[in-house]
Amino acid sequence: MEPSLLIQDRIFVEKLSFKIFGRPIQRGDILVFYPPEIETGMADPALPFLRLVPFFPEKPPAFIKRVVGIPGDRIEVKKDIGIFVNGNKVLEASDVPIPRYGLEQLEDIGGYSMTGEQIHPFGQSHASVIVPPNHLFMMGDNHNKSADSPCLGFPR
């Protein structure tokens, strides 16, 4: 999430507003989530309560990303121009780098996992990038160096 959050920054994660109070997730929200197994090579922990223990090493590590798209949104990334949601350019802070890659179809989603494996979750699909129900399109603020939706797909 550099430059918004820096290495060694400490954050406070609040889970109640979404789960208990039912606040809907909105574009621009910053969320902490566990990446899919395709990224880390590790399944979600068998003992999820261990996540509640302070200083217990996380396996897999949690990701911190910004919500760019919510269900039904059409996402495009235009190389050296910016990110577009439903045809409108996303306004970002001046210190957030412009993406040096393009993303127009599902087949454009891909990259390499933490374990060095090639990720290409949608194969050769020429369909537009539309966020499916119950999923999100998440991106780190350092667009060119982030393991996020343009690489992994749509986390839940």
Side-chain angles (χ1 to χ4, degrees), residues 72-77 84 86 103-109 122 125-132 137 149-150 153-154:
D73 282 349
R74 185 171 154 269
I75 309 294
E76 288 181 279
V77 178
F84 291 77
N86 300 324
L103 177 79
E104 294 181 17
Q105 302 172 342
L106 287 176
E107 71 179 344
D108 297 333
I109 294 176
F122 300 101
S125 175
H126 298 299
S128 295
V129 180
I130 297 179
V131 182
F137 194 86
S149 287
F154 310 100

mmCIF file of all heavy atoms in Angstrom, residues 72-77 84 86 103-109 122 125-132 137 149-150 153-154:
data_model
loop_
_atom_site.group_PDB
_atom_site.id
_atom_site.type_symbol
_atom_site.label_atom_id
_atom_site.label_comp_id
_atom_site.label_asym_id
_atom_site.label_seq_id
_atom_site.Cartn_x
_atom_site.Cartn_y
_atom_site.Cartn_z
ATOM 1 N N GLY A 72 -20.599 -5.867 -9.783
ATOM 2 C CA GLY A 72 -21.259 -5.237 -10.926
ATOM 3 C C GLY A 72 -20.421 -4.181 -11.616
ATOM 4 O O GLY A 72 -20.734 -3.774 -12.745
ATOM 5 N N ASP A 73 -19.341 -3.718 -10.996
ATOM 6 C CA ASP A 73 -18.490 -2.693 -11.607
ATOM 7 C C ASP A 73 -17.685 -3.266 -12.763
ATOM 8 O O ASP A 73 -17.193 -4.395 -12.695
ATOM 9 C CB ASP A 73 -17.508 -2.111 -10.585
ATOM 10 C CG ASP A 73 -18.139 -1.106 -9.638
ATOM 11 O OD1 ASP A 73 -19.287 -0.681 -9.886
ATOM 12 O OD2 ASP A 73 -17.476 -0.748 -8.649
ATOM 13 N N ARG A 74 -17.528 -2.472 -13.813
ATOM 14 C CA ARG A 74 -16.667 -2.817 -14.946
ATOM 15 C C ARG A 74 -15.340 -2.078 -14.740
ATOM 16 O O ARG A 74 -15.316 -0.860 -14.576
ATOM 17 C CB ARG A 74 -17.307 -2.386 -16.257
ATOM 18 C CG ARG A 74 -16.540 -2.820 -17.471
ATOM 19 C CD ARG A 74 -17.380 -2.534 -18.740
ATOM 20 N NE ARG A 74 -16.530 -2.347 -19.868
ATOM 21 C CZ ARG A 74 -16.033 -1.181 -20.281
ATOM 22 N NH1 ARG A 74 -16.350 -0.078 -19.635
ATOM 23 N NH2 ARG A 74 -15.248 -1.107 -21.317
ATOM 24 N N ILE A 75 -14.253 -2.839 -14.742
ATOM 25 C CA ILE A 75 -12.929 -2.301 -14.435
ATOM 26 C C ILE A 75 -12.059 -2.311 -15.694
ATOM 27 O O ILE A 75 -12.020 -3.302 -16.418
ATOM 28 C CB ILE A 75 -12.214 -3.132 -13.350
ATOM 29 C CG1 ILE A 75 -13.101 -3.339 -12.123
ATOM 30 C CG2 ILE A 75 -10.872 -2.536 -12.994
ATOM 31 C CD1 ILE A 75 -13.424 -2.099 -11.344
ATOM 32 N N GLU A 76 -11.354 -1.212 -15.916
ATOM 33 C CA GLU A 76 -10.345 -1.142 -16.966
ATOM 34 C C GLU A 76 -9.125 -0.427 -16.393
ATOM 35 O O GLU A 76 -9.268 0.516 -15.622
ATOM 36 C CB GLU A 76 -10.825 -0.336 -18.166
ATOM 37 C CG GLU A 76 -11.872 -1.006 -19.018
ATOM 38 C CD GLU A 76 -12.242 -0.111 -20.182
ATOM 39 O OE1 GLU A 76 -13.049 0.807 -19.969
ATOM 40 O OE2 GLU A 76 -11.695 -0.330 -21.280
ATOM 41 N N VAL A 77 -7.953 -0.891 -16.775
ATOM 42 C CA VAL A 77 -6.722 -0.187 -16.450
ATOM 43 C C VAL A 77 -6.083 0.162 -17.785
ATOM 44 O O VAL A 77 -5.802 -0.727 -18.590
ATOM 45 C CB VAL A 77 -5.761 -1.046 -15.593
ATOM 46 C CG1 VAL A 77 -4.473 -0.292 -15.321
ATOM 47 C CG2 VAL A 77 -6.429 -1.458 -14.290
ATOM 48 N N PHE A 84 -10.045 2.906 -14.529
ATOM 49 C CA PHE A 84 -11.395 3.353 -14.853
ATOM 50 C C PHE A 84 -12.400 2.372 -14.272
ATOM 51 O O PHE A 84 -12.247 1.158 -14.410
ATOM 52 C CB PHE A 84 -11.577 3.446 -16.370
ATOM 53 C CG PHE A 84 -10.773 4.557 -16.992
ATOM 54 C CD1 PHE A 84 -9.407 4.431 -17.196
ATOM 55 C CD2 PHE A 84 -11.394 5.753 -17.348
ATOM 56 C CE1 PHE A 84 -8.666 5.456 -17.747
ATOM 57 C CE2 PHE A 84 -10.654 6.785 -17.909
ATOM 58 C CZ PHE A 84 -9.293 6.640 -18.113
ATOM 59 N N ASN A 86 -16.461 1.689 -14.400
ATOM 60 C CA ASN A 86 -17.695 2.011 -15.130
ATOM 61 C C ASN A 86 -17.488 3.194 -16.078
ATOM 62 O O ASN A 86 -18.344 4.048 -16.238
ATOM 63 C CB ASN A 86 -18.841 2.286 -14.154
ATOM 64 C CG ASN A 86 -19.116 1.079 -13.272
ATOM 65 O OD1 ASN A 86 -19.011 -0.059 -13.715
ATOM 66 N ND2 ASN A 86 -19.439 1.328 -12.017
ATOM 67 N N LEU A 103 -5.338 -3.491 -18.584
ATOM 68 C CA LEU A 103 -6.249 -4.553 -18.157
ATOM 69 C C LEU A 103 -7.619 -4.225 -18.729
ATOM 70 O O LEU A 103 -8.235 -3.245 -18.320
ATOM 71 C CB LEU A 103 -6.303 -4.609 -16.625
ATOM 72 C CG LEU A 103 -7.252 -5.617 -16.006
ATOM 73 C CD1 LEU A 103 -6.639 -7.009 -16.051
ATOM 74 C CD2 LEU A 103 -7.551 -5.244 -14.579
ATOM 75 N N GLU A 104 -8.047 -5.003 -19.713
ATOM 76 C CA GLU A 104 -9.352 -4.771 -20.332
ATOM 77 C C GLU A 104 -10.228 -6.009 -20.342
ATOM 78 O O GLU A 104 -11.440 -5.903 -20.376
ATOM 79 C CB GLU A 104 -9.170 -4.259 -21.764
ATOM 80 C CG GLU A 104 -8.531 -2.891 -21.823
ATOM 81 C CD GLU A 104 -8.377 -2.381 -23.244
ATOM 82 O OE1 GLU A 104 -9.040 -2.929 -24.148
ATOM 83 O OE2 GLU A 104 -7.596 -1.446 -23.435
ATOM 84 N N GLN A 105 -9.590 -7.190 -20.356
ATOM 85 C CA GLN A 105 -10.326 -8.448 -20.425
ATOM 86 C C GLN A 105 -9.849 -9.366 -19.307
ATOM 87 O O GLN A 105 -8.748 -9.207 -18.784
ATOM 88 C CB GLN A 105 -10.090 -9.120 -21.779
ATOM 89 C CG GLN A 105 -10.503 -8.259 -22.942
ATOM 90 C CD GLN A 105 -10.080 -8.858 -24.276
ATOM 91 O OE1 GLN A 105 -9.211 -9.732 -24.340
ATOM 92 N NE2 GLN A 105 -10.694 -8.403 -25.340
ATOM 93 N N LEU A 106 -10.682 -10.351 -18.990
ATOM 94 C CA LEU A 106 -10.309 -11.298 -17.935
ATOM 95 C C LEU A 106 -8.976 -11.979 -18.224
ATOM 96 O O LEU A 106 -8.210 -12.257 -17.311
ATOM 97 C CB LEU A 106 -11.408 -12.340 -17.736
ATOM 98 C CG LEU A 106 -12.675 -11.852 -17.040
ATOM 99 C CD1 LEU A 106 -13.720 -12.962 -17.002
ATOM 100 C CD2 LEU A 106 -12.382 -11.353 -15.632
ATOM 101 N N GLU A 107 -8.675 -12.223 -19.509
ATOM 102 C CA GLU A 107 -7.410 -12.885 -19.839
ATOM 103 C C GLU A 107 -6.188 -12.038 -19.474
ATOM 104 O O GLU A 107 -5.085 -12.548 -19.370
ATOM 105 C CB GLU A 107 -7.357 -13.259 -21.315
ATOM 106 C CG GLU A 107 -7.214 -12.088 -22.257
ATOM 107 C CD GLU A 107 -7.131 -12.507 -23.711
ATOM 108 O OE1 GLU A 107 -6.878 -13.706 -23.984
ATOM 109 O OE2 GLU A 107 -7.315 -11.647 -24.572
ATOM 110 N N ASP A 108 -6.380 -10.737 -19.252
ATOM 111 C CA ASP A 108 -5.278 -9.858 -18.872
ATOM 112 C C ASP A 108 -4.899 -10.013 -17.400
ATOM 113 O O ASP A 108 -3.844 -9.530 -16.984
ATOM 114 C CB ASP A 108 -5.643 -8.392 -19.128
ATOM 115 C CG ASP A 108 -5.892 -8.097 -20.594
ATOM 116 O OD1 ASP A 108 -5.325 -8.806 -21.457
ATOM 117 O OD2 ASP A 108 -6.661 -7.156 -20.881
ATOM 118 N N ILE A 109 -5.757 -10.646 -16.605
ATOM 119 C CA ILE A 109 -5.470 -10.837 -15.178
ATOM 120 C C ILE A 109 -4.461 -11.973 -15.042
ATOM 121 O O ILE A 109 -4.680 -13.075 -15.533
ATOM 122 C CB ILE A 109 -6.756 -11.143 -14.383
ATOM 123 C CG1 ILE A 109 -7.674 -9.920 -14.406
ATOM 124 C CG2 ILE A 109 -6.437 -11.564 -12.950
ATOM 125 C CD1 ILE A 109 -9.017 -10.129 -13.748
ATOM 126 N N PHE A 122 -8.066 -16.793 -15.294
ATOM 127 C CA PHE A 122 -9.202 -16.801 -16.214
ATOM 128 C C PHE A 122 -8.840 -17.283 -17.610
ATOM 129 O O PHE A 122 -9.648 -17.171 -18.535
ATOM 130 C CB PHE A 122 -9.841 -15.409 -16.270
ATOM 131 C CG PHE A 122 -10.346 -14.970 -14.936
ATOM 132 C CD1 PHE A 122 -9.623 -14.076 -14.168
ATOM 133 C CD2 PHE A 122 -11.528 -15.476 -14.411
ATOM 134 C CE1 PHE A 122 -10.073 -13.677 -12.917
ATOM 135 C CE2 PHE A 122 -11.975 -15.102 -13.163
ATOM 136 C CZ PHE A 122 -11.250 -14.203 -12.416
ATOM 137 N N SER A 125 -10.071 -15.938 -21.541
ATOM 138 C CA SER A 125 -11.398 -15.323 -21.598
ATOM 139 C C SER A 125 -11.314 -13.873 -22.084
ATOM 140 O O SER A 125 -10.598 -13.054 -21.524
ATOM 141 C CB SER A 125 -12.068 -15.348 -20.222
ATOM 142 O OG SER A 125 -13.298 -14.661 -20.274
ATOM 143 N N HIS A 126 -12.055 -13.573 -23.135
ATOM 144 C CA HIS A 126 -12.092 -12.217 -23.693
ATOM 145 C C HIS A 126 -13.191 -11.365 -23.061
ATOM 146 O O HIS A 126 -13.449 -10.253 -23.516
ATOM 147 C CB HIS A 126 -12.288 -12.272 -25.211
ATOM 148 C CG HIS A 126 -11.168 -12.979 -25.921
ATOM 149 N ND1 HIS A 126 -9.865 -12.544 -25.879
ATOM 150 C CD2 HIS A 126 -11.160 -14.101 -26.667
ATOM 151 C CE1 HIS A 126 -9.102 -13.358 -26.576
ATOM 152 N NE2 HIS A 126 -9.864 -14.320 -27.059
ATOM 153 N N ALA A 127 -13.834 -11.878 -22.027
ATOM 154 C CA ALA A 127 -14.911 -11.132 -21.361
ATOM 155 C C ALA A 127 -14.357 -9.892 -20.668
ATOM 156 O O ALA A 127 -13.197 -9.852 -20.251
ATOM 157 C CB ALA A 127 -15.616 -12.037 -20.341
ATOM 158 N N SER A 128 -15.193 -8.873 -20.557
ATOM 159 C CA SER A 128 -14.813 -7.662 -19.828
ATOM 160 C C SER A 128 -14.586 -7.998 -18.356
ATOM 161 O O SER A 128 -15.123 -8.977 -17.835
ATOM 162 C CB SER A 128 -15.912 -6.613 -19.929
ATOM 163 O OG SER A 128 -16.076 -6.192 -21.248
ATOM 164 N N VAL A 129 -13.816 -7.176 -17.689
ATOM 165 C CA VAL A 129 -13.550 -7.370 -16.259
ATOM 166 C C VAL A 129 -14.701 -6.748 -15.488
ATOM 167 O O VAL A 129 -14.754 -5.532 -15.289
ATOM 168 C CB VAL A 129 -12.193 -6.750 -15.858
ATOM 169 C CG1 VAL A 129 -11.948 -6.956 -14.372
ATOM 170 C CG2 VAL A 129 -11.064 -7.331 -16.684
ATOM 171 N N ILE A 130 -15.648 -7.584 -15.088
ATOM 172 C CA ILE A 130 -16.805 -7.143 -14.312
ATOM 173 C C ILE A 130 -16.772 -7.895 -12.986
ATOM 174 O O ILE A 130 -16.669 -9.119 -12.951
ATOM 175 C CB ILE A 130 -18.124 -7.396 -15.076
ATOM 176 C CG1 ILE A 130 -18.105 -6.565 -16.363
ATOM 177 C CG2 ILE A 130 -19.323 -7.064 -14.191
ATOM 178 C CD1 ILE A 130 -19.297 -6.707 -17.247
ATOM 179 N N VAL A 131 -16.818 -7.144 -11.903
ATOM 180 C CA VAL A 131 -16.714 -7.732 -10.569
ATOM 181 C C VAL A 131 -17.950 -8.605 -10.323
ATOM 182 O O VAL A 131 -19.082 -8.125 -10.393
ATOM 183 C CB VAL A 131 -16.585 -6.650 -9.485
ATOM 184 C CG1 VAL A 131 -16.426 -7.283 -8.113
ATOM 185 C CG2 VAL A 131 -15.424 -5.700 -9.790
ATOM 186 N N PRO A 132 -17.740 -9.906 -10.043
ATOM 187 C CA PRO A 132 -18.874 -10.798 -9.808
ATOM 188 C C PRO A 132 -19.552 -10.552 -8.453
ATOM 189 O O PRO A 132 -18.957 -9.924 -7.564
ATOM 190 C CB PRO A 132 -18.260 -12.196 -9.852
ATOM 191 C CG PRO A 132 -16.798 -12.031 -9.819
ATOM 192 C CD PRO A 132 -16.461 -10.600 -10.052
ATOM 193 N N PHE A 137 -12.877 -5.970 -6.324
ATOM 194 C CA PHE A 137 -11.662 -5.749 -7.094
ATOM 195 C C PHE A 137 -10.777 -4.880 -6.223
ATOM 196 O O PHE A 137 -11.132 -3.747 -5.904
ATOM 197 C CB PHE A 137 -11.970 -5.058 -8.428
ATOM 198 C CG PHE A 137 -10.829 -5.094 -9.397
ATOM 199 C CD1 PHE A 137 -10.655 -6.175 -10.244
ATOM 200 C CD2 PHE A 137 -9.927 -4.049 -9.459
ATOM 201 C CE1 PHE A 137 -9.602 -6.215 -11.144
ATOM 202 C CE2 PHE A 137 -8.866 -4.077 -10.349
ATOM 203 C CZ PHE A 137 -8.695 -5.156 -11.198
ATOM 204 N N SER A 149 -5.753 -7.591 -7.378
ATOM 205 C CA SER A 149 -6.723 -8.140 -8.328
ATOM 206 C C SER A 149 -6.222 -8.226 -9.770
ATOM 207 O O SER A 149 -6.569 -9.172 -10.462
ATOM 208 C CB SER A 149 -8.032 -7.355 -8.257
ATOM 209 O OG SER A 149 -8.718 -7.687 -7.065
ATOM 210 N N PRO A 150 -5.421 -7.277 -10.275
ATOM 211 C CA PRO A 150 -4.921 -7.465 -11.637
ATOM 212 C C PRO A 150 -4.054 -8.710 -11.801
ATOM 213 O O PRO A 150 -3.819 -9.175 -12.912
ATOM 214 C CB PRO A 150 -4.102 -6.202 -11.894
ATOM 215 C CG PRO A 150 -4.778 -5.167 -11.048
ATOM 216 C CD PRO A 150 -5.151 -5.921 -9.792
ATOM 217 N N GLY A 153 -7.238 -11.853 -9.398
ATOM 218 C CA GLY A 153 -8.674 -11.959 -9.637
ATOM 219 C C GLY A 153 -9.462 -11.242 -8.569
ATOM 220 O O GLY A 153 -9.066 -10.167 -8.129
ATOM 221 N N PHE A 154 -10.546 -11.842 -8.137
ATOM 222 C CA PHE A 154 -11.499 -11.160 -7.251
ATOM 223 C C PHE A 154 -11.585 -11.825 -5.890
ATOM 224 O O PHE A 154 -12.218 -12.865 -5.733
ATOM 225 C CB PHE A 154 -12.897 -11.191 -7.878
ATOM 226 C CG PHE A 154 -12.928 -10.734 -9.303
ATOM 227 C CD1 PHE A 154 -12.966 -11.633 -10.343
ATOM 228 C CD2 PHE A 154 -12.932 -9.368 -9.596
ATOM 229 C CE1 PHE A 154 -13.001 -11.202 -11.655
ATOM 230 C CE2 PHE A 154 -12.964 -8.930 -10.897
ATOM 231 C CZ PHE A 154 -13.006 -9.845 -11.935
#
